[in-house]
Amino acid sequence: MKLGRAALALLLLAPCVVRAVEPISLGLALAGVLTGYISYPRLYCYFAECCGQRRSLSREALQKDLDNRLFGQHLAKKVILNAVTGFLSNPKPKKPLTLSLHGWTGTGKNFVSKIIAENIYEGGLNSDYVHLFVATLHFPHASNVTLYKDQLQLWIRGNVSACARSIFIFDEMDKMPAGLIDAIKPFLDYYDVVDEVSYQRAIFIFLSNAGAERIMDVALDFWRSGRSREDIRLKDMEQALSVSVFNNRNSGFWHSSLIARNLIDYFVPFLPLEYKHLKMCVRVEMESRGYEVDEDIVTRVADEMTFFPKEERVFSDKGCKTVFTKLDYYLD
Ligand SMILES: *[C@@H]1O[C@H](CO)[C@@H](O)[C@H](O)[C@H]1NC(C)=O
Ligand SMILES: *[C@@H]1O[C@H](CO)[C@@H](O)[C@H](O)[C@H]1NC(C)=O
């Protein structure tokens, strides 16, 4: 696929060069060839994936993706949009961008990382410059933590040397062996260079369930007192979140120097989803699979989900995570 695009770039470039040589004036031809040569990298990167941004990130496109595909997360939307566009438009950031996304499963954390990756690299999560680490997959044994630390440092150093605008996503932070994440602290700090490599343009995204209960408490308080969930502000969450994550033995950040040293730029809360949000997920999924939205099916899928707390049944306990498999049943 990559080769194909590169070949296409060459094919398209070839006629320009040939046409430029046709005129009798050698000077003109030379100028044409030179221009072709100079604009080659830009043209090449237009067709093949290159490090950095393929097209410059568009705030509108990112906003549109978040609006159309992420539901019930007004806080996350706002923080992500501002943090990512602000960082990418800064020509000389002082440190890499570090986002820590928190919330129940199925609330959209993985989804948001995917959207960010796709808005920066055409290949999204499959891009050569986007690296996903899943704790239980890449770092399964707590006893190997020393080995993992060395490995992780080598990987990050290697990848950032090859491409300064690399994206690293750490999923299941809450299942990371304690202390492992501190291995990357030197890369996240305010240093111009570490061992001749500058990490300041890289992006680190951490995903975890840690703090989800704290987020749920706040959301439930708002719901019980009849206040709109959209009135929840970041400051209702942020401080409590960073403290609870830091003090949670199972957070992957337990007593981590990343938090103690304020190296996480944003703690982004993902609120638990309500019935109406599940329906939105089902509708979008039906559309994306090429079906016409059938409200009867939408309701039936949403009705199958389980909700908590037991008495009030407000929030879906798996978010939108399993609606997709449940939908299969109705569409087949
Ligand atoms: C990793 O951990 C496993 C199980 O604890 C152990 O058998 C293995 O030798 C360790 N590998 C290294 C390279 O330390
Ligand atoms: C980049 O990271 C990947 C893991 O995502 C690793 O397998 C690879 O070796 C790293 N590349 C370099 C040059 O270190």
Side-chain angles (χ1 to χ4, degrees), residues 141 143-144 147:
H141 305 295
S143 55
N144 293 47
L147 172 74

Side-chain angles (χ1 to χ4, degrees), residues 222-235:
F222 269 71
W223 188 84
R224 282 185 174 143
S225 61
R227 284 190 286 168
S228 156
R229 117 197 220 116
E230 281 73 32
D231 289 341
I232 302 176
R233 287 155 312 165
L234 202 55
K235 71 171 192 240

Side-chain angles (χ1 to χ4, degrees), residues 157-178:
R157 186 174 197 281
N159 282 297
V160 175
S161 316
C163 175
R165 180 75 84 210
S166 287
I167 303 176
F168 301 94
I169 302 168
F170 294 84
D171 195 5
E172 302 182 339
M173 272 303 291
D174 33 317
K175 300 195 182 70
M176 280 269 195

Side-chain angles (χ1 to χ4, degrees), residues 7-23 25 27-40 42-44 47:
L8 186 60
L10 277 173
L11 253 172
L12 284 172
L13 194 63
C16 314
V17 176
V18 171
R19 222 176 296 130
V21 178
E22 268 165 6
S25 155
L28 244 179
L30 205 62
V33 172
L34 271 179
T35 327
Y37 180 73
I38 289 163
S39 66
Y40 176 71
R42 222 170 59 209
L43 194 59
Y44 175 83
F47 292 99

